[in-house]
């Protein structure tokens, strides 16, 4: 089983994101001066706060007793208090987990933190309230920071594809086998984090440590709830049944958005970077896919992702072009002819040797390896 990217590299030593980090910093350094403490409950650390230098520190959404807050402010620290009555923490220091986003699923999906955050977004996104937009921006920047810390030094391959791919289909099983093969090759699989092809790739990565028959069994169990419509609750419960039966799955990344909040995140991504701003999410997903991107058949969203990936490759704005593999010749040359345009853009540029079109999903890993080489 791969080592989780969560341990790939330490974050900035000045950043404190857990109580354990806080205690270690106080014990080892005897000062919190200049540190950034992010979403840590400090109500039981009053003595430490009263006796430790906090000059120039920043406390982001950290509950603390009033005497401690008064003292650190007197030191010259900045204190951004927790925001009450929000269904999410804008200052969070870690990515989401499936268990966190789907908490209270036993009471129905509409009671989960994921659904409540989407409902809040729906209420506030069009009212022009600078306070709400600030909270969304702070949240999304916190998620980006956590994602960068998680993936530092990690080889990430993006798998893009549509949400309409149903469980129980050959296409879904193929996308799952793809995710499994990529994960077994030592790559971290990253998807848009939603249902369909995205879920299948995350599922495959999850099943990578197990024998091959496990993925077949998992796909069969999931097929009983083929789509998140009409019931997200049933769809998600079936996924958690799979996770409970095989609890030691491999890691992968899901990067969904509440902009498309009617599509739930899939529970097979071990780390979920969920954003309010879809543009930030799209660019971040592709920019972090440093080992290349595989594009499965999809519709408008996948077409957008193809050219969002092609543009920095064309201009080399992120450095050397990264591999792009399109899967299903008929889809990308006839139904949605993105391949001819991509090939025309690449002609006589360095990205020309970094693009490929394959007929079958089974050919994608080898094509990716060839382009990277």
């Amino acid at each position: 089983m791969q080592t989780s990217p969560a341990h790939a590299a330490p974050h900035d030593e000045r950043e404190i994101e857990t109580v354990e980090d806080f205690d270690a910093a106080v014990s080892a350094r005897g000062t919190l001066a200049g540190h950034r403490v992010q979403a840590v409950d400090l109500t039981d650390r009053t003595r430490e706060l009263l006796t430790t230098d906090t000059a120039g520190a920043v406390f982001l959404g950290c509950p603390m007793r009033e005497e401690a807050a008064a003292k650190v402010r007197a030191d010259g620290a900045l204190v951004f208090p927790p925001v009450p009555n929000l269904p999410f923490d804008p200052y969070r220091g870690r990515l989401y987990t499936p268990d966190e986003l789907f908490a209270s699923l036993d009471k129905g999906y509409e009671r989960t933190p994921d659904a409540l955050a989407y409902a809040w977004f729906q209420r506030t996104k069009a009212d022009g309230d600078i306070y709400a937009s600030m909270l969304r921006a702070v949240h999304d920047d916190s998620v980006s920071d956590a994602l960068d810390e998680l993936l530092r030094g990690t080889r990430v391959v993006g798998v893009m594809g549509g949400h309409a791919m149903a469980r129980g289909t050959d296409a879904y099983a193929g996308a799952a086998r793809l995710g499994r093969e990529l994960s077994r090759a030592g790559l971290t699989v990253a998807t848009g984090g939603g249902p369909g092809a995205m879920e299948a790739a995350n599922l495959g990565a999850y099943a990578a440590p197990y024998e091959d028959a496990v993925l077949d069994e998992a796909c069969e169990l999931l097929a009983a709830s083929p789509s998140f419509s009409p019931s997200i609750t049933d769809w998600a419960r079936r996924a958690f049944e799979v996770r409970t039966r095989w609890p030691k799955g491999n890691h992968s990344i899901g990067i969904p958005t509440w902009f498309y909040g009617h599509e739930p995140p899939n529970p097979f991504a071990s780390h979920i970077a969920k954003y309010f701003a879809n543009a930030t999410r799209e660019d971040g997903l592709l920019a972090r896919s440093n080992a290349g991107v595989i594009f499965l058949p999809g519709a408008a969203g996948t077409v957008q992702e193809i050219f969002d990936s092609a543009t920095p490759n064309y201009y080399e704005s992120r450095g050397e072009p990264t591999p792009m593999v399109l899967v299903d010749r008929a889809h990308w040359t006839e139904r949605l002819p993105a391949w001819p345009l991509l090939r025309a853009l690449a002609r006589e540029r360095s990205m020309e040797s970094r693009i490929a079109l394959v007929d079958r999903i089974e050919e994608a890993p080898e094509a990716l390896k060839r382009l990277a080489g």
Side-chain angles (χ1 to χ4, degrees):
M1 183 171 173
Q2 286 176 260
T3 302
S4 168
H7 306 295
H11 57 68
D12 186 333
E13 290 186 357
R14 295 187 309 155
E15 292 186 12
I16 295 174
E17 297 168 348
T18 66
V19 171
E20 292 75 19
D21 288 347
F22 178 88
D23 291 342
V26 171
S27 175
R29 302 182 192 118
T31 180
L32 292 171
H35 284 63
R36 279 77 176 101
V37 190
Q38 195 172 346
V40 179
D41 189 341
L42 298 176
T43 52
D44 292 331
R45 296 296 187 274
T46 300
R47 180 178 62 83
E48 290 81 355
L49 290 170
L50 291 177
T51 58
T52 303
D53 180 20
T54 58
V58 179
F59 294 86
L60 298 165
C62 298
M64 63 180 75
R65 301 193 188 283
E66 186 53 44
E67 59 181 313
K71 183 266 181 185
V72 300
R73 288 192 181 99
D75 278 353
L78 288 175
V79 179
F80 294 79
V83 181
N85 303 317
L86 274 183
F88 62 93
D89 181 358
Y91 303 113
R92 61 180 302 112
R94 303 284 182 176
L95 298 185
Y96 294 98
T97 66
D99 289 335
E100 183 180 1
L101 286 176
F102 286 98
S104 301
L105 182 64
D106 58 323
K107 299 175 184 177
Y109 171 73
E110 65 278 0
R111 302 286 296 276
T112 65
D114 185 64
L116 295 173
Y118 177 53
W120 176 88
F121 182 41
Q122 289 293 94
R123 290 194 303 271
T124 62
K125 68 179 182 179
D127 61 12
D129 183 357
I130 186 64
Y131 180 57
S133 63
M134 179 197 73
L135 292 174
R136 294 195 295 268
V138 170
H139 169 274
D140 285 2
D141 194 61
S142 297
V143 168
S144 289
D145 181 64
L147 186 59
D148 285 338
E149 290 173 358
L150 182 78
L151 295 180
R152 193 172 296 145
T154 303
R155 294 177 66 223
V156 180
V157 59
V159 179
M160 310 298 151
H163 68 268
M165 185 184 288
R167 294 167 172 175
T169 63
D170 290 342
Y172 184 95
R177 290 192 297 270
L178 172 66
R180 181 178 65 189
E181 184 168 349
L182 295 170
S183 188
R184 286 177 175 176
L187 297 165
T188 294
V189 173
T191 77
M198 297 170 279
E199 180 189 58
N202 287 127
L203 167 65
Y206 184 88
Y210 294 96
E211 60 184 23
D212 289 358
V214 166
L215 183 56
D216 297 333
E217 291 182 59
C219 287
E220 186 175 345
L221 288 171
L222 292 170
S225 298
S227 173
F228 64 94
S229 177
S231 173
I232 295 176
T233 301
D234 292 345
W235 175 87
R237 282 175 176 166
R238 189 68 63 173
F240 279 99
E241 287 175 17
V242 170
R243 286 170 49 94
T244 299
R245 184 166 175 179
W246 295 285
K248 296 182 179 180
N250 209 352
H251 69 268
S252 66
I253 309 298
I255 308 183
T257 173
W258 279 295
F259 184 81
Y260 297 131
H262 59 288
E263 298 177 14
N266 80 74
F268 293 110
S270 55
H271 301 86
I272 301 176
K274 191 152 191 180
Y275 288 88
F276 288 105
N278 186 50
T280 304
R281 167 254 191 174
E282 287 274 8
D283 185 67
L285 171 55
L286 294 166
R288 291 175 176 88
S289 296
N290 54 17
V293 185
I294 296 173
F295 299 92
L296 303 180
T302 311
V303 172
Q304 178 181 347
E305 288 162 347
I306 288 172
F307 292 104
D308 280 348
S309 183
T311 300
N313 280 347
Y314 180 90
Y315 290 111
E316 299 187 45
S317 55
R318 294 181 185 140
E320 186 177 344
T322 52
M324 299 176 64
V325 180
L326 278 60
V327 178
D328 191 332
R329 187 176 301 274
H331 186 85
W332 295 120
T333 62
E334 298 171 17
R335 287 187 286 275
L336 293 174
W339 173 251
L341 178 54
L342 179 62
R343 188 171 59 176
L345 281 171
R347 189 172 297 123
E348 298 182 359
R349 303 187 77 88
S350 57
M351 69 177 285
E352 187 171 18
S353 62
R354 296 299 179 93
I355 64 171
L357 174 66
V358 298
D359 283 318
R360 299 181 301 110
I361 199 168
E362 292 78 10
E363 301 173 77
E366 181 58 35
L368 183 75
K369 182 178 180 181
R370 184 178 70 252
L371 298 179

